[in-house]
Amino acid sequence: MTIVSQQALQMKQVSRGNYLMRNALKHNVIFNEGSKGDAAYILTEGKIEISGVIEGHKKVFAILTPISIFGEMALFLDDGVRTATAIALEDSKVIVVTKDDLEEFMRESPKVIASIITVLVSRLKTTTRKALKVPSIGLGVVRILDLFSTCGKMELKYDATVKTLSDTFLTTPEKIEQYLLGLADQGLLAVGRDQNDIRIIRIRERDMLNAVMQNKF
Ligand SMILES: Nc1ncnc2c1ncn2[C@@H]1O[C@@H]2COP(=O)(O)O[C@H]2[C@H]1O
């Protein structure tokens, strides 16, 4: 049993009242990041995606399966605002836990408090690990271009490449264009137009990664 499900079951055990159940059909938004939150939810059936928008890009933080609790953070935060968006990936069922319910659970059972802390700590640990894994954007761009050239693909559509790279590295298209400009200045690629007047990137250095590493990019 996961830590999250332990916590959810803990809550079921201490609750004496009737639960308010809610169905969330596939694609339903249960709540949006930035909205005010007055309840947490225990997922009993289905699948919920927890995501946020970082620098204009959607980032999935977690995919929850039964039994998991979510939407608890806003109940602890002073501003009461949702830190992420919850969307049903499948037809789902949740138990609504109001702020009053949660406070009552916590008053009645120190185990509930302990398990909520455990859930928050475990999410923080996962999130910190993910954050530390964010690659150097510059080197990441070079590695991807290097892969294309290794596969013999020396011309790439400019707009599509910039969009894919900015989505991949959760950064702005402008930032990616700066890196491309830097590589162009080093003579490793050129930006031009094809016969249909579509902007393209021409990779000029087959071993781009090696060249960049030698230049201590
Ligand atoms: N990094 C994360 N990993 C897993 N779940 C999260 C993460 N950030 C937020 N959540 C959950 O998503 C919910 C969004 O609404 P809340 O801020 O009320 O409570 C939040 C947590 O339950």
Side-chain angles (χ1 to χ4, degrees):
M1 190 189 292
T2 64
I3 295 159
V4 182
S5 50
Q6 273 170 20
Q7 180 203 22
L9 290 178
Q10 210 64 266
M11 286 191 177
K12 271 184 169 177
Q13 281 158 17
V14 295
S15 171
R16 291 195 218 98
N18 291 327
Y19 303 117
L20 177 63
M21 298 288 302
R22 196 177 140 187
N23 292 322
L25 297 178
K26 186 174 176 176
H27 302 315
N28 269 186
V29 176
I30 297 162
F31 52 72
N32 272 305
E33 179 180 359
S35 63
K36 282 272 181 190
D38 53 12
Y41 301 89
I42 296 171
L43 176 66
T44 58
E45 267 181 63
K47 204 177 263 184
I48 303 292
E49 177 193 83
I50 301 289
S51 68
V53 174
I54 297 172
E55 292 186 3
H57 298 267
K58 177 178 164 181
K59 177 92 181 134
V60 175
F61 301 145
I63 307 279
L64 305 178
T65 53
I67 291 174
S68 306
I69 188 163
F70 62 98
E72 76 296 343
M73 285 169 67
L75 307 187
F76 293 105
L77 293 169
D78 282 346
D79 59 3
V81 165
R82 297 292 187 199
T83 58
T85 297
I87 299 176
L89 294 182
E90 295 172 359
D91 291 354
S92 302
K93 280 194 168 58
V94 294
I95 298 171
V96 181
V97 181
T98 64
K99 192 171 181 180
D100 287 348
D101 282 344
L102 189 68
E103 279 170 5
E104 192 189 328
F105 294 150
M106 290 179 24
R107 261 197 312 275
E108 288 193 12
S109 170
K111 278 190 185 163
V112 170
I113 300 175
S115 44
I116 287 181
I117 293 172
T118 311
V119 167
L120 296 176
V121 168
S122 132
R123 281 183 185 154
L124 179 62
K125 186 175 158 188
T126 311
T127 306
T128 306
R129 286 222 176 116
K130 276 191 194 158
L132 290 174
K133 269 193 211 151
V134 172
S136 143
I137 299 175
L139 203 53
V141 168
V142 168
R143 278 183 186 278
I144 289 173
L145 295 178
D146 188 65
L147 178 65
F148 276 111
S149 68
T150 305
C151 298
K153 177 108 180 111
M154 306 301 278
E155 283 190 7
L156 307 172
K157 290 203 166 96
Y158 183 90
D159 291 341
T161 305
V162 169
K163 178 166 186 338
T164 302
L165 291 173
S166 60
D167 285 348
T168 305
F169 294 108
L170 295 175
T171 188
T172 58
E174 292 74 26
K175 191 97 194 149
I176 296 295
E177 289 185 293
Q178 275 174 20
Y179 284 112
L180 294 176
L181 212 65
L183 294 169
D185 284 347
Q186 294 176 57
L188 301 174
L189 59 80
V191 176
R193 290 190 179 269
D194 68 7
Q195 61 275 28
N196 299 318
D197 206 28
I198 291 174
R199 227 161 22 141
I200 53 163
I201 296 167
R202 273 197 197 91
I203 301 174
R204 299 177 66 189
E205 169 59 61
R206 267 195 186 275
D207 197 355
M208 189 181 282
L209 186 59
N210 190 31
V212 166
M213 293 306 254
Q214 300 215 342
N215 279 350
K216 297 206 170 41
F217 187 72

